[in-house]
Every structure is written in structure tokens, then in C-alpha cells.
Amino acid sequence: MRGTPYPTLDGLLRGARAAVAARPGVLRLRDIGTSRAGRPLWLLSAGHGPRQVLTVAGAHANEPVGGATSLRLAHRFARDPSVLGGGVGGLNCTWHFLLCLDPDGASLAEGWMTANAAGRSNAVNAEGALDADGTPTAEGTLNADGTPNAVDAADTAGAVHRADPAHGRTAGPPSEAGPPSQAGPPAAASPAAAPPPIGSYYRGFYRPAFAAQPEFPPVAGDPRAPMPESEVLLRLIDELRPVVQFSLHGVEVGGTFLQLTRAVPGAPAVYRRIAADLDIPLEYRPFDGMGWLVEGPGVLVLPDGSPAEERDPSGFVSRATWLHAMRHGTVSAVVEAPFWSVAGVGDPRPVAEPRRELADVSEVLLGRIKQLESVVGELDPRPPGTPDELAHFTAARELMDIGSGVVDTWSAAELATTVGNSVSLGIAARRIPLRAAAMMSKALGGAPALDTLVDGWARELEGTFDARWVPVADQTALQARTMLALARALM
């Protein structure tokens, strides 16, 4: 089957195996542990340098972009091993890709991709997606034989590390690839590709409950044992002691942002340039990392002396795996890419009445949760009958229960101060009940009344904020170029 917008779990593995078979001296693939359900966790490694870099993909089940980015960058290293080598301009490192941290969750979330692939085939490939076997094929990615096309040659244009004070931008050394305009003529134009319907994404939505997300193991003393996936990642971090760890994430609707556990001089400017090159809006003030310092639009930095523990809206207290790495001097970077972008999230203009804005979005969130509760109550649902249904039910129920806590957090942080903040809050207020309704329908074995809510709310979300599909080639370019830029800055 061709035309899935991202590689499925099977596609990731096939793509990694094919890459290793084509470049066995550069790439290696090994199984480093198993999930709760016994699925293997695969580590794809490139290069042989003494310093270590770790990329973690698939930490959240509904965010498949990280796996696509990992395959893209691994292919690049296979084509040009000197990027990781010890010669002039090389990183002198070994780069590891954990292809999917939560394969159990991903297996429940990837149905929308395969279901949507039928009848789309080359339309999706034309805008930079991946075949079902995980092979990048399209404009801005890689050809089927593993060779780069013209657009992909500019990947390192964002991997720059010396400031150009005359223009407030950054410029790489002469040996690096030049700006995109110097990368040669673009690939031949492909027929316009219809983006995947946003309703299709949500009808297949799954994201585990907070305590079942392996990137966030419970703190010491919690009676719940860490999940095996969490333990695998923690052991890997302790084994590698990486210079930098990247955690690749995606959000269905919004903008891009970057979180750093330590300030990296010059990194925010380079990252913003990459986003601007790709026409991907920056979240003006991301809501993730509420206690983190805002280092300008789209960038958060962990303050010195910050607590190691994090509390999510459900009350679950965890220690993020990217904070665990700090004991080794590792810088962790969380790189978020939107699937559908909304230009308004980056609007810095102040709003006239922040409290009114906050009241409006709170009313949307609480009102829709109340509406969802009413629909579910009328269905008189039976208890979930299978483990998959129970997983969907638990996650949906949790989202339906956190509305008041989320509103309290928004109010305490006084978030609705700019137009961008207000837009981001409006998206979140709609996203929470939308996710809950989609998963509750799955938990109940399908419920037309809930499906009607999902379809209507998804269309309203897309229309209200003029959400526009970001080609997968651009999503992966954002993450790949950001990783290369940060790795160069740190090494």
C-alpha cells in the first residue's frame, strides 16, 4: 500500500532494515528491549564517533512525525557519512535513533493513516510523505534508491552556528551547504496533493492516559512501577551519556516550539530561521513547560534549580526522561512540529481584555465537556470489553475529568495576554474534548452520536483557525535541520 502520510510501525522497521542493508558499514539496527505487550524497541545507529547523540521518536502515540524524521536523517547520514565523521566539519559522533518509544500506543493510533491511504497513493507522496514501507520518496525527502533529491540537499542550511551581525541571522562555514537557493533547482513540480482530512485524523485518534506515557515515568516512591519502555530509555541514556538528547513531538493543530533543558547560545535564532524558511508559525508562548523561561517566541529554557518533578493536569507526578539525562551533563531538546499550522498562534499583539479572552475559551472547553458527558450518558455505555477499548476509555475519561483543573491553570498563569496566546488557548479548548470524544467512541465500539460530534468539532476547529496542512517533508525538515543545528552548536 502506498501513500500513508507517515510510516507505520511496520514501515519504520522495514525502512530501517532497508537502510541498514544498503549501508551496513554506516548504519546498525538492534532491539534494545520490549514494550508491555512484547513489541520490540528498535535503535537505529549511524556513525562510529566517540561522542553520542540520541533522538527519541514516538514518545506520544498520536505523534508519528518523529519516526519519519528519524528515517530521513538516518538516510542522510548513510549517504554522507562525513557528517558524523572526525574530519573537518564532521560531528565526530555516533547518532542513535530510538524509532518508537511507545509501540503499543502507536499500534492503536496508526489506523487513521492506513485507512486514509486507500485511494490517495501518489497524491500524498507528491507532497513529501512516505510509502507504507517507510521509504522516503517525495519532494524534499529522498528518492526510492536512497539518493537525495534537490530539495533535501539543503537540509543542513539550518545547521549553522556563527552569527551574522549585519543581518541578525546566522551563516554556516563555507564547507556547509548553502542556503536553499543554492541547492540547485527544485524537484519537478508534482500535482497538488490533497491533505489528509482532519476529521480522519481525529476519528482514529489515540493517546494514552498521562500515567501510561513512557516518556514520563512516576517519581520515586510512587507505588506504580515504571513501564518497561521507560526503563529501556533510562538505561539507554545511562549507557550512552549523550551530549544531546532530542525528543521529537508533533501537535495536530498549532505552531512549532522548542524546549531546551539548558540555554544554547545562538540556538533560538537558528531555530526561528529554520521555521521561517519552512513557513511554519512559532507558538508565541507555548503552554508546555509552564514554569520554563521564555527565551523569545517559540523557545522555552528550563530555569536553573527547577524541580525535577512535573505534575500533569490529572495530578500524576512524573520525572521526564529528558530531565533524567541532565545528570550526565546532557542537553535535552524537545522539538515540536505541527501537522496543521495556524498562523495566528504567533501573533504578538496584546489583547484588549485578557480576562474576557480567558473566560471565552474556558466556556468553550467546559461547555463541550459538558455536552460530551451528556451524549455519553444517553448512550448508557457498557464496560469496555477488550484491552484496547479499556485503553481508549481510560484516556477519554481522564480528559473529560481535567477540564476544571486546566481552566484553573490557565487562569493562574494569566496566559491570554496576546493574540497568539488567545489563539493557542482557543485551539486547546477545542482539542481536549475533541480527543476525548474520539477515544470514547472507540472505547464503546463505535457510537454514531459521538462520531457526529467528532466530525463537527474537527471541521469547526479547522475552519475557525484556518488550519492548513504542513507537508510531511516540511515537518521532518523542521526537526532534522533543528537537530543538526543544535548538535553542531553543542559539539
Side-chain angles (χ1 to χ4, degrees):
M1 175 173 54
R2 298 175 61 84
T4 55
Y6 307 94
T8 62
L9 279 175
D10 288 344
L12 276 175
L13 181 56
R14 284 195 295 269
R17 283 176 168 163
V20 171
R23 302 289 192 276
V26 179
L27 300 177
R28 304 166 301 286
L29 183 67
R30 63 183 172 113
D31 171 356
I32 59 171
T34 56
S35 69
R36 289 152 288 170
R39 292 182 174 88
L41 274 67
W42 294 101
L43 188 73
L44 179 63
S45 302
H48 301 278
R51 296 178 292 190
Q52 310 297 314
V53 175
L54 175 61
T55 293
V56 179
H60 288 147
N62 63 304
E63 301 172 4
V65 62
T69 301
S70 296
L71 285 184
R72 173 179 184 157
L73 199 51
H75 273 274
R76 169 164 173 72
F77 295 152
R79 297 195 314 270
D80 186 5
S82 67
V83 176
L84 303 181
V88 176
L91 293 170
N92 196 24
C93 73
T94 303
W95 199 306
H96 308 271
F97 301 92
L98 181 50
L99 294 176
C100 184
L101 178 60
D102 185 12
D104 295 348
S107 71
L108 295 179
E110 66 183 17
W112 77 277
M113 296 191 296
T114 54
N116 193 50
R120 289 169 47 76
S121 112
N122 291 336
V124 179
N125 281 331
E127 67 170 2
L130 295 119
D131 287 345
D133 65 357
T135 306
T137 59
E139 181 177 339
T141 57
L142 300 154
N143 297 317
D145 62 359
T147 59
N149 63 32
V151 178
D152 193 62
D155 270 358
T156 53
V160 292
H161 55 274
R162 106 185 125 72
D164 178 358
H167 301 286
R169 292 168 68 88
T170 52
S175 61
E176 291 182 359
S181 61
Q182 297 176 4
S190 302
I198 195 169
S200 174
Y201 171 82
Y202 278 110
R203 281 193 297 275
F205 185 87
Y206 174 71
R207 181 185 177 110
F210 291 111
Q213 297 176 13
E215 197 172 37
F216 298 98
V219 295
D222 191 301
R224 290 167 288 198
M227 293 180 289
E229 299 92 331
S230 303
E231 294 181 315
V232 167
L233 177 54
L234 294 175
R235 285 197 303 269
L236 181 64
I237 291 170
D238 291 339
E239 170 195 332
L240 298 177
R241 297 173 173 256
V243 175
V244 57
Q245 175 193 204
F246 297 104
S247 183
L248 302 183
H249 288 260
V251 63
E252 54 262 48
V253 178
T256 180
F257 60 90
L258 173 69
Q259 290 179 258
L260 298 168
T261 56
R262 190 176 77 224
V264 180
V270 174
Y271 164 69
R272 293 185 192 111
R273 175 190 172 186
I274 293 168
D277 286 347
L278 296 166
D279 197 26
I280 297 176
L282 294 163
E283 289 272 357
Y284 189 75
R285 198 296 176 210
F287 300 146
D288 290 48
M290 293 295 295
W292 293 40
L293 297 175
V294 181
E295 194 168 317
V299 179
L300 298 173
V301 177
L302 186 69
D304 292 338
S306 295
E309 299 176 353
E310 294 199 355
R311 181 182 297 273
D312 62 48
S314 73
F316 175 64
V317 181
S318 66
R319 179 183 175 91
T321 50
W322 22 276
L323 297 181
H324 174 88
M326 293 176 70
R327 66 187 62 191
H328 303 302
T330 302
V331 174
S332 290
V334 181
V335 189
E336 193 98 19
F339 308 156
W340 283 266
S341 69
V342 173
V345 299
D347 191 332
R349 292 175 298 164
V351 299
E353 297 183 65
R355 291 185 180 180
R356 179 71 261 169
E357 295 287 335
L358 187 57
D360 289 345
V361 296
S362 299
E363 183 178 352
V364 171
L365 171 59
L366 298 178
R368 291 194 177 185
I369 288 178
K370 183 177 180 181
Q371 183 181 358
L372 176 56
E373 291 278 15
S374 176
V375 172
V376 172
E378 291 175 0
L379 292 173
D380 191 22
R382 57 173 175 76
T386 68
D388 289 357
E389 289 178 351
L390 179 60
H392 281 85
F393 179 86
T394 302
R397 188 67 261 174
E398 184 175 74
L399 291 180
M400 294 167 67
D401 292 338
I402 66 172
S404 296
V406 169
V407 168
D408 290 344
T409 299
W410 290 348
S411 300
E414 299 182 351
L415 290 176
T417 57
T418 69
V419 174
N421 294 159
S422 182
V423 170
S424 295
L425 285 171
I427 293 169
R430 291 161 171 82
R431 182 174 62 225
I432 292 170
L434 179 49
R435 288 176 170 184
M439 290 191 288
M440 186 60 76
S441 179
K442 288 281 189 181
L444 303 181
L450 289 174
D451 294 340
T452 297
L453 273 186
V454 170
D455 289 340
W457 285 349
R459 287 194 302 270
E460 190 269 346
L461 173 63
E462 183 177 27
T464 297
F465 298 101
D466 192 23
R468 301 189 179 189
W469 174 250
V470 179
V472 177
D474 291 346
Q475 296 176 36
T476 59
L478 173 74
Q479 293 185 331
R481 291 171 61 181
T482 299
M483 287 193 290
L484 284 168
L486 286 171
R488 290 193 182 281
L490 289 165
M491 295 192 290

